[in-house]
């Protein structure tokens, strides 16, 4: 929200008038969540045993109101198995390098916490940025090492040697600026002492990692496993992001936590499988950030038999649970896409392979022409078909024009609107198409007809949003 002068010409004179601009796409300075987004914010939760959370105000963001949290700390009362996936952007932010180093040196074991700041990405900041990220991890480590009741001095243990660190670091915000590291280090002991397992504390942490988000993205659920039907496990996750979203291995910032007993050797392929079908299957604008990180911590505090294989009965169950959960969590990012008015799922079916289907779905999801047509409520299916046709890296015979069909699937359960059937255009009811596109939610179905040999049965989905005028406005003055 802001205001500024605008000059208008009236009867030969140039007169200033004051025009007030109110951004409907972002939370106002009072931190009020838009009415349409409040339904996505949980009022309660069931969180994993032994995990604690908090979000506090530090002042990383120069314009942040005093009550708004911008530093989050998530911690486990016992050491965790951990894994993460990171951005493949060549300009990887300092926290990405530091967290990767921690996981590699610890072999994914003994991780206790994640410290996250918003307001500054600590990206492209050179050696100083690496030192700052290491200092954040060391300050949290020092809190764990301190005797009960002790408050470690700010910055204690700030050596850049990360051999024994148990803390992962994440940052998000503007690229190319150094962190106000003294503020952050002095606040970490305060955050540590305020850790709690309550829903309000988890929600404050989810708020603290937001940048242009209009609402905090937090989910939790309980589940059981076949080998321990009497044991209730919990899974919680939070993420942030509304723009610069089109991942390659991970996206934005995200954290998953469970009290199920999952060793790192199982946790790694589990996260990879889930991410490929969730956080690697969303797109707002086709951009991949320098800071993208998704971490998964499991402390085993609920007990039960360790899940040592994804092919076991427990392994298959946890794979489905985590994949569904990460899909739900990642889709909240699309719900909050910068300037978005549409939430769209594109589903590619009867493909020779999952990889082919995902590449096609990804290409459609990041097509500016598809996205702008959806914003304009224009049933321009030719743009969808073009995106299918120029998708790169497909296997031979994956797309056969005379076998390809495109449809709109209404979210109200009404009949599918066929646009192209086996390469032949349909006589489209434009009025019905416009009515379908009036609704916020939409599914685009692309049926490849099994590919060249007709035997393809694989499918993949991508979730994305449209491009609006407001997206340009947000990103045109992101720093100004």
């Amino acid at each position: 929200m802001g205001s500024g002068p605008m000059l208008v010409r009236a009867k030969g004179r140039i007169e200033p008038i004051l025009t007030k601009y109110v951004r409907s796409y972002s939370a106002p300075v009072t931190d009020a969540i838009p009415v349409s987004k409040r339904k996505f914010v949980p009022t309660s939760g069931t969180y994993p045993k032994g995990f604690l959370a908090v979000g506090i105000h530090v002042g990383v963001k120069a314009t942040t109101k005093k009550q708004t949290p911008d530093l989050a700390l998530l911690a486990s009362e016992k050491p965790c198995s951990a894994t993460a996936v990171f951005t493949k952007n060549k300009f990887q932010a300092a926290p990405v390098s530091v967290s990767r180093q921690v996981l590699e040196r610890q072999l994914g074991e003994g991780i206790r916490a994640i410290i996250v700041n918003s307001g500054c990405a600590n990206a492209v900041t050179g050696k100083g940025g690496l030192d700052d990220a290491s200092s954040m991890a060391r300050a949290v480590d020092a809190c764990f090492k301190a005797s009960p009741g002790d408050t470690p001095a700010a910055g204690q243990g700030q050596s850049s040697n990360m051999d024994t660190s148990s803390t992962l670091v994440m940052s998000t915000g503007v690229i190319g600026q150094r962190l106000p590291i003294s503020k952050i280090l002095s606040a970490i002991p305060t955050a540590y002492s305020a850790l709690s397992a309550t829903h309000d504390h988890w929600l404050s942490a989810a708020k603290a990692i937001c940048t242009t988000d209009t609402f905090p993205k937090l989910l939790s659920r309980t589940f059981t496993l076949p080998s321990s039907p009497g044991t209730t496990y919990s899974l919680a996750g939070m993420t942030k992001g509304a723009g610069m979203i089109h991942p390659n291995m991970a996206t934005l910032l995200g954290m998953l936590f469970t009290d199920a007993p999952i060793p790192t050797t199982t946790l790694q392929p589990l996260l990879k499988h889930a991410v490929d079908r969730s956080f690697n299957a969303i797109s707002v604008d086709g951009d991949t950030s320098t800071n993208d990180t998704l971490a998964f911590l499991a402390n085993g505090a609920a007990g039960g038999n360790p899940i040592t294989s994804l092919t076991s009965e427990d392994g298959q169950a946890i794979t489905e649970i985590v994949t569904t959960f990460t899909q739900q969590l990642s889709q909240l990012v699309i719900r909050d896409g910068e300037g978005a008015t549409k939430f769209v799922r594109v589903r590619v079916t009867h493909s020779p392979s999952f990889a082919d289907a995902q590449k096609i779905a990804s290409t459609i999801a990041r097509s500016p022409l598809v996205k702008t047509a959806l914003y304009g409520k224009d049933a321009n299916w030719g743009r969808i078909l073009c995106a299918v046709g120029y998708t790169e890296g497909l296997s031979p015979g994956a797309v056969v024009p005379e076998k390809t069909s495109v449809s709109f699937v209404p979210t109200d359960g009404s009949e599918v609107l066929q646009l192209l059937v086996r390469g032949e255009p349909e006589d489209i009811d434009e009025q019905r198409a416009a009515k379908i596109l009036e609704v916020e939610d939409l599914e685009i179905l692309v049926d490849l007809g099994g590919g060249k040999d007709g035997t393809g049965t694989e499918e993949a989905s991508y979730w994305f949003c449209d491009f609006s005028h407001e997206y340009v406005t947000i990103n045109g003055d992101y720093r100004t």
Side-chain angles (χ1 to χ4, degrees), residues 29 44 49 59 109 163 184 188 195 198 234 266 286 298 369 383 409-410 437 450 464-465 469 471:
V29 293
S44 62
K49 297 178 180 67
E109 299 294 342
D163 285 352
I184 293 174
I188 285 175
L195 285 166
T198 72
S234 295
T266 307
L369 291 180
R383 294 181 176 182
V409 181
L437 292 174
F464 68 102
C465 58
H469 301 293
Y471 176 86

Side-chain angles (χ1 to χ4, degrees), residues 342 344-347 364 370 373-374 377-385 405-421 426 428-438 441-447 464:
K342 291 279 186 293
V344 188
R345 177 190 185 187
V346 55
R347 187 161 60 100
I364 295 169
V370 171
L374 293 173
K377 304 177 181 62
D378 180 6
N380 193 339
W381 57 267
R383 294 181 176 182
I384 299 169
L385 200 66
S405 302
V406 178
S407 304
F408 284 159
V409 181
T411 55
D412 61 3
S414 60
E415 187 179 355
V416 170
L417 179 62
Q418 295 180 321
L419 307 171
L420 181 79
V421 177
E426 295 292 288
I428 300 172
D429 183 343
E430 294 289 351
Q431 287 189 338
R432 181 159 185 260
K435 187 175 181 180
I436 290 172
L437 292 174
E438 284 287 343
D441 288 20
L442 171 70
E443 178 178 319
I444 297 171
L445 176 63
V446 177
D447 189 335
F464 68 102

Side-chain angles (χ1 to χ4, degrees), residues 32-51:
I33 297 170
V35 174
S36 63
K37 306 292 180 68
R38 292 175 189 171
K39 61 188 176 184
F40 301 120
V41 182
T43 56
S44 62
T46 51
Y47 300 101
K49 297 178 180 67
F51 280 104

Side-chain angles (χ1 to χ4, degrees), residues 81-157:
S81 300
T83 190
V85 287
F86 300 98
T87 180
K88 285 189 174 181
N89 193 303
K90 290 181 174 60
F91 292 96
Q92 297 192 354
V96 170
S97 298
V98 168
S99 294
R100 190 194 304 274
Q101 185 182 57
V102 168
L103 288 171
E104 288 175 353
R105 291 185 172 177
Q106 294 290 104
L107 301 178
E109 299 294 342
I111 304 302
R112 295 290 300 273
I114 304 175
I115 184 77
V116 192
N117 75 271
S118 61
C120 177
N122 191 13
V124 198
T125 46
K127 184 179 182 299
L130 289 169
D131 290 342
D132 290 344
S134 296
S135 295
M136 291 171 64
R138 286 298 184 186
V140 177
D141 293 339
C143 293
F144 284 109
K145 294 175 182 176
S147 301
D150 288 348
T151 301
Q156 178 179 340

Side-chain angles (χ1 to χ4, degrees), residues 14 46 59 77 227 344:
I14 296 179
T46 51
E77 294 174 336
S227 69
V344 188

